[in-house]
Amino acid sequence: EGLIATTILAEDFSKFTAGSESEHDATRLDDADGFIDDKYFNTPGWSGLEVYQAGGMAYLGYSYEYDDTGMLSTPILDTKGAVTIKVRARSLGEEGDHIMYNIIDPNTFEVLDSNYKYIGTEWTDVEFVTTYGDKESYIYIFTNSYDLLLDDIVIEKMELTAPVIGEEQNVTGTSFTANWESVTGADAYDVFGYAKHKVGEDGLCVL
């Protein structure tokens, strides 16, 4: 018992069969509205900018139209609570780059959370932890300056199990000692006390 990780999205780009790591396919997957055909993903609903196949990987190029780096956006997800974003990535910039994510509210397009980490030119496993998502949101991944190769993306919700409640001790008319088993990963516990009271025939309950 303790911290439980539940995968809410996993993409290995196994359907990105064209091209290779050294030379990506020339056909851009995102259409004029940014949507990408569901046939390329394990889960429908992805979108992006300057997304190409690269032999089992995704290549994000530079957009000269927007004068900005490309990006890849997940389907709508429930990211409320503690969420871990895991990405395997490699920068194509000579000195590496910063890989970034934004969590976006799809209704207001407000940025709920954003973070970045440096990656080099070798494959790197990057992990972000956030608690600033919402029931409906999407995550897009991009870089600061250079083209990017992505392999695996895994997004997990992290939840704690409820503690096992032990038998109460030192019970008096006004107090008792509560007991429970500690939960791995918990920083604090909320304790709620309840009391039973008999309601009289007049419907009144005096506490």
Side-chain angles (χ1 to χ4, degrees), residues 27-105:
T27 301
R28 182 172 161 183
L29 297 184
D30 51 293
D31 63 20
D33 295 317
F35 297 110
I36 303 175
D37 195 316
D38 290 341
K39 70 180 182 180
Y40 292 108
F41 297 98
N42 297 320
T43 304
W46 291 76
S47 58
L49 175 67
E50 294 289 342
V51 180
Y52 301 85
Q53 298 179 77
M57 293 162 258
Y59 175 94
L60 305 186
Y62 193 87
S63 172
Y64 292 96
E65 178 184 2
Y66 293 98
D67 192 25
D68 205 350
T69 57
M71 63 93 172
L72 184 65
S73 178
T74 70
I76 301 295
L77 301 171
D78 175 3
T79 60
K80 190 176 181 63
V83 171
T84 300
I85 303 167
K86 299 178 180 179
V87 180
R88 187 167 182 260
R90 180 167 82 85
S91 172
L92 297 178
E94 290 184 1
E95 298 179 355
D97 202 351
H98 287 98
I99 186 169
M100 310 180 183
Y101 76 82
N102 283 349
I103 300 180
I104 304 294
D105 182 324

Side-chain angles (χ1 to χ4, degrees), residues 5-11 43 46 74-85 134-135 137 139 153-159:
T6 302
T7 300
I8 59 174
L9 185 71
E11 182 54 58
T43 304
W46 291 76
T74 70
I76 301 295
L77 301 171
D78 175 3
T79 60
K80 190 176 181 63
V83 171
T84 300
I85 303 167
D134 210 340
K135 279 283 188 181
S137 59
I139 301 169
I153 297 176
V154 177
I155 300 173
E156 299 172 331
K157 289 199 76 170
M158 314 300 291
E159 297 177 302

Side-chain angles (χ1 to χ4, degrees), residues 53-194:
Q53 298 179 77
M57 293 162 258
Y59 175 94
L60 305 186
Y62 193 87
S63 172
Y64 292 96
E65 178 184 2
Y66 293 98
D67 192 25
D68 205 350
T69 57
M71 63 93 172
L72 184 65
S73 178
T74 70
I76 301 295
L77 301 171
D78 175 3
T79 60
K80 190 176 181 63
V83 171
T84 300
I85 303 167
K86 299 178 180 179
V87 180
R88 187 167 182 260
R90 180 167 82 85
S91 172
L92 297 178
E94 290 184 1
E95 298 179 355
D97 202 351
H98 287 98
I99 186 169
M100 310 180 183
Y101 76 82
N102 283 349
I103 300 180
I104 304 294
D105 182 324
N107 301 305
T108 64
F109 301 107
E110 175 189 359
V111 178
L112 303 176
D113 190 38
S114 181
N115 206 343
Y116 65 89
K117 288 187 178 181
Y118 171 81
I119 59 170
T121 57
E122 301 296 325
W123 284 103
T124 305
D125 292 315
V126 181
E127 183 173 318
F128 299 100
V129 178
T130 175
T131 56
Y132 295 100
D134 210 340
K135 279 283 188 181
E136 283 196 346
S137 59
Y138 61 88
I139 301 169
Y140 70 80
I141 296 168
F142 59 108
T143 61
N144 186 53
S145 303
Y146 300 103
D147 296 354
L148 179 71
L149 278 169
L150 289 174
D151 195 347
D152 298 303
I153 297 176
V154 177
I155 300 173
E156 299 172 331
K157 289 199 76 170
M158 314 300 291
E159 297 177 302
L160 290 171
T161 58
V164 176
I165 306 301
E167 186 175 353
E168 65 275 10
Q169 295 176 322
N170 306 319
V171 179
T172 72
T174 57
S175 66
F176 68 95
T177 300
N179 294 287
W180 61 87
E181 295 181 10
S182 62
V183 176
T184 302
D187 296 321
Y189 300 89
D190 289 327
V191 179
F192 301 91
Y194 299 91

